[in-house]
Amino acid sequence: MKIAVLTLFPGMFAGPLDESIIKRARAKGLLELSIHNLRDYAHDRHRTVDDRPFGGGPGMLLKPEPIFEAVEKLARESTRVILLSPIGRAFHQAIARELADAEDLLLISGHYEGFDERVREKLADDELSIGDYVLTNGALPAMVVIDAVMRLVPGVLGDDESAHEESFSHGLLEYPQYTRPAEFCGMKVPEVLLSGNHAEIAKWRAAQARLRTQERRPDLL
Ligand code: 4GX
């Protein structure tokens, strides 16, 4: 899979994507990741990427021309072009699964007050938000999407890692889990988990998962 990122802060991507599982995926050739500086597509003397909004108002917008030129150079017909911004649709596991099937992604990080609307109209296939809070720019959201998508690409996770059935894949939050010791600082592991009765254990876990989801994330039920 090829993922290209267009951002004003390419330096932010250096650490997180050079570690651990993503690093291994890149080394194995499962992921071809390229980070592009939006400023490289601005050609005036000051390499301007932003401008004031028509109609007035606070803040600056990303100008359309550098983004149009970058997409022209970086995207093919089959590339999914995705904007990262707080007005995007909420990113979740099913979207990650869908993107993991794509050949090519181009993620465009929002900056300043956002995009000129014509970028949405003409270039974007999708616009995603990673949650209802305000960040300083779209670099972290782009990395969040890359991480969530890549771990679903076949071969990226080792057997141990993918054997784990995570929350959201079955629509409920994870049940409580314990490891040794069976008693720690006076806190005991629930008796049923030590019983060896696998039917009872499965029943207990299902009930706990449901209870926890009801308490913490009733929206998932
Ligand atoms: N999930 N930000 C984008 C600039 C911006 C503002 C408005 C487009 C429209 C965010 C999020 C996020 C901060 C990234 C504002 N771009 N992005 N940036 N939450 O908060 O994706």
Side-chain angles (χ1 to χ4, degrees), residues 28-40:
K28 282 197 206 165
L30 295 168
L31 168 62
E32 240 180 81
L33 187 67
S34 57
I35 311 296
H36 306 267
N37 191 338
L38 177 60
R39 212 169 281 287
D40 292 342

Side-chain angles (χ1 to χ4, degrees), residues 15-58:
L17 304 174
D18 288 326
E19 291 286 343
S20 178
I21 291 166
I22 299 294
K23 178 184 186 159
R24 201 177 61 206
R26 296 175 78 175
K28 282 197 206 165
L30 295 168
L31 168 62
E32 240 180 81
L33 187 67
S34 57
I35 311 296
H36 306 267
N37 191 338
L38 177 60
R39 212 169 281 287
D40 292 342
Y41 299 90
H43 304 296
D44 63 304
R45 224 154 46 85
H46 298 104
R47 302 212 289 163
T48 311
V49 292
D50 60 335
D51 206 343
R52 300 192 315 271
F54 278 122

